[in-house]
Amino acid sequence: MLVRLFTGDPAVCTQVSAVVMVALGSSMAVLGFALTAMKRSGRSLRSVAVGWGLLVVAAGPVVGAWGLVGLWTAVLATHLLLVALQGLAFLSVTADRHVVS
């Protein structure tokens, strides 16, 4: 992770990793609730199904090859994917609302 470029302290790396996971989880929640509030919960549900579905499919092989560290890395990648998917869905919905015909 990038934090290792700035410090070699394992305690700091652990804390930063935890904060990043919480921040990404919060971002997913905000985007999901925003899509639901705009009556576009289907887009949020599809994003969640794709993101977590890919993690479910990959979890076994990842744990077999890289162990728990690999699984946490896969969870982080899933969070990043979900933020990107829900962010794109949100941007497409808001762009549709601002189109004047």
Side-chain angles (χ1 to χ4, degrees):
M1 202 160 121
L2 288 176
V3 72
R4 291 190 181 132
L5 295 173
F6 300 103
T7 183
D9 187 358
V12 172
C13 291
T14 302
Q15 290 295 324
V16 169
S17 298
V19 169
V20 167
M21 293 294 272
V22 168
L24 286 173
S26 301
S27 298
M28 287 185 312
V30 168
L31 289 168
F33 287 132
L35 287 167
T36 301
M38 293 173 17
K39 309 264 189 252
R40 298 292 190 266
S41 59
R43 291 181 187 218
S44 178
L45 181 60
R46 281 191 297 275
S47 299
V48 169
V50 166
W52 291 117
L54 289 173
L55 179 64
V56 166
V57 169
V62 166
V63 169
W66 295 289
L68 193 55
V69 172
L71 182 61
W72 278 112
T73 303
V75 169
L76 177 63
T78 301
H79 282 189
L80 290 170
L81 175 65
L82 284 169
V83 168
L85 289 174
Q86 288 184 329
L88 289 172
F90 180 79
L91 288 175
S92 70
V93 168
T94 55
D96 291 345
R97 290 179 176 245
H98 294 292
V99 172
V100 178
S101 47

